Amino acid sequence: MELLSTVKGAKPMKAEYVISDTRARISLPMPLPHGASIKILIKYHYTVPGAWGGRTSVGEVKDGPIYDIAQWYPRMAVYDDLHGWDTQPFLGNEFYTEFGNYDFYVTVPSNYMVAGTGALVNGAEVLTKTQQERLKQAATSDKTIFIRTKDEVHDPASRPKQDGTLTWHYHMDHTRDAVFSASPSFIWDAAKMNLPGGKTALAESFYPAEAAGDEGWGRCTEYLKDAVEHFSQDWYVYPYPAGINVAGFSSGMEYPGLVFDGINSKGKGLFVVTAHEIGHTWFPMTVQSNERRDAWMDEGFNTFIDIYESDQFNHGIWGPKRDGEYAPGGGYPADEIAKVNTDPEAPPILMRADAIREKHRHPITYFKSAEGLYLLREEILGHEIFDRAFRKYISDWAFKHPTPSDFFREMESEGGEDLSYFWRGWYENNWTMDMVAKDVKYNDAADPSKGAHVTIEQNGQLVLPVWIQIKYDDGTDLKIKLPAETWMQKATYNMPLPTTKKIVEATIDPDHRVPDGNRTNNTAKP
């Protein structure tokens, strides 16, 4: 390892360093002045560990190996306002990195295709003229265009040379990472993604023959395009020149502008995983929270935006979202998360990520975190206020490192509400709620026209806004929303029912919108 001054003519000098497991501390010969820079020259080697080895892999398909190469080079630790140098070691999972501008070159046998993070710089050198023209066509096409077809995989003419090697050059600015995949087996297709403000980017898919066809990866670019366009319209404009999905052996992993998914994924499963992995572009690739400490701000926020993508794609053909990340039982999400809240072993969301056991990782880090945002949007703040606040949070913290408290403060500031009760009950604790409809009584038993009231009790610690439905004997009904503040100072509320009609029953949360842990006591009759 050597240090190189940026002063012209300076020679490299040997660096003094200490390696501790996955970390290296480099001692500078003198303090680096504010605004100055230095180059660190590191010679290292990397051996691909096999079919799955810490987010990187190599495996065989019938037309050759697929290399998914990620987390493969030394990188600078983040220096932030909370911890100084964030020196948590790499544990084979995910990580916390800093933004930078990347140029990287991949030299492979000439029959290989390479999918890389960012924009391909030297297409004229590594693609045939036909492929270059197809790529230009795809950049203006809303329909998927094949850059290299299944039949062309075996055609030597699909490569600009038939022997030796080719070097692929990729570049991307302001990104936290760079990765690539390489294989002689790749079919390649692409289409234009339409972004707000007249901007565009390229959706691309690389996959072997085993994954081809409309039931499989033949529609992946369509899924990718739809997700990026909706996320860009709803939350924040996609920041990179391309979005790529690669079918290989590192299934279900995300990087800036490029994600890895499984060869055997197809249909709804491929749509769901594609939307989720490219959704990580927003969290944490753009809004880069520390997923080593607060994984819920990564996985949960991404799962939340996936909920709406499932509703939006092709008029909700594969919605609502019910999978291993969100409401895995396939029922009401509120009812399923209520069971998680009552699990005495379940950690709170704010538990350090490394301390959350695997059995609770998806229920807490993905599901409960996503459901928290869903409750904020659907029940507490409403669409207009939540969307304004959440977009402001994303915009303000794009390409920065927010913490949980930054998120809490921004949502309160922009939402215009004191949400401390929700942060405390949902994020700091696994508090539960049990709303009880005690009875319905007329104010004057002899004269129903004088109105009535229903007694509502809150027996849990978690408080949320809740709907009460009143059904009348003429077949009509009335729904009244009680705000969370109803329960700030008391556990019992006699809710007036200004009506001249005969009441049949009163029911708490008839649509299962909030996580009431006991629904057997939610209905009362006169």
Side-chain angles (χ1 to χ4, degrees):
M1 189 181 298
E2 295 178 317
L3 299 177
L4 178 63
S5 169
T6 57
V7 178
K8 186 176 181 180
K11 294 182 179 180
M13 61 182 298
K14 184 179 180 181
E16 298 294 332
Y17 60 91
V18 175
I19 293 179
S20 172
D21 53 66
T22 63
R23 299 162 293 192
R25 182 186 186 278
I26 303 172
S27 299
L28 302 183
M30 60 187 66
L32 195 65
H34 181 73
S37 62
I38 195 168
K39 293 182 179 179
I40 302 170
L41 308 179
I42 303 176
K43 294 181 179 180
Y44 72 101
H45 69 274
Y46 173 77
T47 301
V48 183
W52 177 257
R55 313 291 174 167
T56 188
S57 65
V58 58
E60 288 282 343
V61 294
K62 67 179 182 180
D63 292 321
I66 297 176
Y67 291 86
D68 291 335
I69 307 300
Q71 303 179 207
W72 53 287
Y73 61 91
R75 66 201 65 204
M76 186 68 68
V78 175
Y79 189 92
D80 66 25
D81 295 336
L82 291 182
H83 302 284
W85 290 110
D86 195 283
T87 56
Q88 289 187 309
F90 177 65
L91 299 179
N93 47 16
E94 299 175 55
F95 46 90
Y96 186 40
T97 61
E98 195 51 273
F99 294 100
N101 300 331
Y102 283 74
D103 267 294
F104 65 100
Y105 301 80
V106 181
T107 299
V108 294
S110 61
N111 65 323
Y112 274 56
M113 306 294 284
V114 176
T117 298
L120 176 62
V121 176
N122 64 335
E125 299 174 16
V126 297
L127 302 179
T128 66
K129 289 184 178 181
T130 298
Q131 290 164 350
Q132 294 173 53
E133 288 301 317
R134 290 173 178 174
L135 201 55
K136 289 180 182 178
Q137 182 184 357
T140 61
S141 173
D142 286 313
K143 293 184 178 180
T144 301
I145 303 295
F146 279 100
I147 315 304
R148 191 195 198 201
T149 68
K150 180 179 178 180
D151 291 339
E152 291 170 339
V153 169
H154 300 101
D155 184 357
S158 71
R159 304 305 303 120
K161 58 182 290 191
Q162 277 68 54
D163 57 4
T165 62
L166 287 170
T167 297
W168 297 61
H169 176 195
Y170 279 92
H171 174 86
M172 189 155 74
D173 288 332
H174 221 47
T175 176
R176 59 174 251 168
D177 206 356
V179 302
F180 67 92
S181 288
S183 177
S185 71
F186 280 151
I187 300 167
W188 179 10
D189 64 42
K192 176 186 65 170
M193 297 188 290
N194 302 291
L195 307 178
K199 298 179 180 179
T200 63
L202 200 62
E204 305 174 59
S205 299
F206 290 76
Y207 50 95
E210 290 91 330
D214 285 348
E215 291 299 312
W217 279 69
R219 294 186 67 190
C220 183
T221 291
E222 176 189 350
Y223 305 151
L224 194 69
K225 169 182 166 67
D226 191 88
V228 170
E229 289 179 348
H230 279 132
F231 294 154
S232 296
Q233 186 67 45
D234 293 344
W235 308 117
Y236 186 84
V237 179
Y238 187 76
Y240 300 124
I244 301 172
N245 199 356
V246 177
F249 296 89
S250 296
S251 177
M253 188 56 197
E254 70 281 356
Y255 298 94
L258 191 154
V259 300
F260 299 141
D261 284 319
I263 295 170
N264 296 322
S265 294
K266 59 182 61 178
K268 182 178 180 179
L270 179 58
F271 161 76
V272 168
V273 73
T274 297
H276 180 79
E277 301 308 336
I278 200 63
H280 276 299
T281 300
W282 285 262
F283 311 100
M285 305 304 165
T286 300
V287 182
Q288 194 184 167
S289 53
N290 187 342
E291 56 189 311
R292 282 284 280 106
R293 298 179 186 272
D294 303 297
W296 63 274
M297 297 180 72
D298 156 30
E299 298 293 357
F301 285 26
N302 182 26
T303 300
F304 166 73
I305 65 175
D306 292 341
I307 295 170
Y308 297 98
E309 171 59 13
S310 289
D311 293 338
Q312 291 167 324
F313 177 76
N314 199 8
H315 307 289
I317 188 173
W318 284 330
K321 182 176 175 64
R322 300 289 186 270
D323 51 45
E325 298 161 356
Y326 186 77
Y332 290 105
D335 291 350
E336 290 192 36
I337 203 66
K339 297 176 183 178
V340 175
N341 288 340
T342 59
D343 181 349
E345 296 184 352
I349 289 178
L350 291 182
M351 174 73 76
R352 170 177 161 170
D354 290 348
I356 296 178
R357 296 177 182 176
E358 182 61 27
K359 66 175 289 188
H360 294 120
R361 187 170 63 88
H362 274 81
I364 297 297
T365 303
Y366 292 70
F367 184 15
K368 186 172 183 181
S369 175
E371 185 68 2
L373 292 185
Y374 189 81
L375 289 170
L376 271 177
R377 187 174 193 258
E378 302 294 334
E379 307 303 324
I380 299 173
L381 295 177
H383 290 195
E384 181 179 357
I385 294 174
F386 175 90
D387 290 358
R388 184 186 68 236
F390 199 49
R391 288 168 185 156
K392 183 72 161 48
Y393 165 74
I394 296 171
S395 177
D396 285 351
W397 289 99
F399 305 105
K400 300 183 182 73
H401 303 297
T403 65
S405 60
D406 294 318
F407 166 69
F408 296 150
R409 280 192 298 268
E410 184 119 30
M411 295 304 291
E412 286 198 355
S413 174
E414 294 300 318
E417 298 286 347
D418 181 347
L419 300 171
S420 56
Y421 71 93
F422 187 58
W423 310 141
R424 188 180 182 195
W426 196 260
Y427 293 87
E428 293 181 19
N429 299 279
N430 287 332
W431 283 352
T432 61
M433 64 186 303
D434 177 17
M435 304 287 290
V436 182
K438 294 291 289 185
D439 53 22
V440 177
K441 291 184 178 180
Y442 292 103
N443 296 334
D444 185 337
D447 185 4
S449 67
K450 293 184 179 180
H453 66 270
V454 56
T455 301
I456 307 292
E457 286 187 358
Q458 165 59 292
N459 291 335
Q461 291 175 290
L462 178 67
V463 295
L464 288 169
V466 66
W467 288 94
I468 312 297
Q469 181 185 47
I470 311 302
K471 289 186 177 180
Y472 301 108
D473 66 347
D474 63 1
T476 62
D477 72 332
L478 172 68
K479 286 186 178 179
I480 301 171
K481 189 174 187 179
L482 294 180
E485 287 77 7
T486 304
W487 316 108
M488 292 301 178
Q489 295 185 8
K490 56 193 173 189
T492 302
Y493 176 56
N494 292 319
M495 187 179 83
L497 303 175
T499 180
T500 59
K501 299 180 181 181
K502 186 176 180 181
I503 298 170
V504 175
E505 65 181 25
T507 300
I508 300 169
D509 190 32
D511 300 319
H512 297 240
R513 300 171 70 97
V514 298
D516 191 322
N518 179 13
R519 295 191 177 274
T520 63
N521 54 19
N522 281 22
T523 297
K525 299 181 179 181

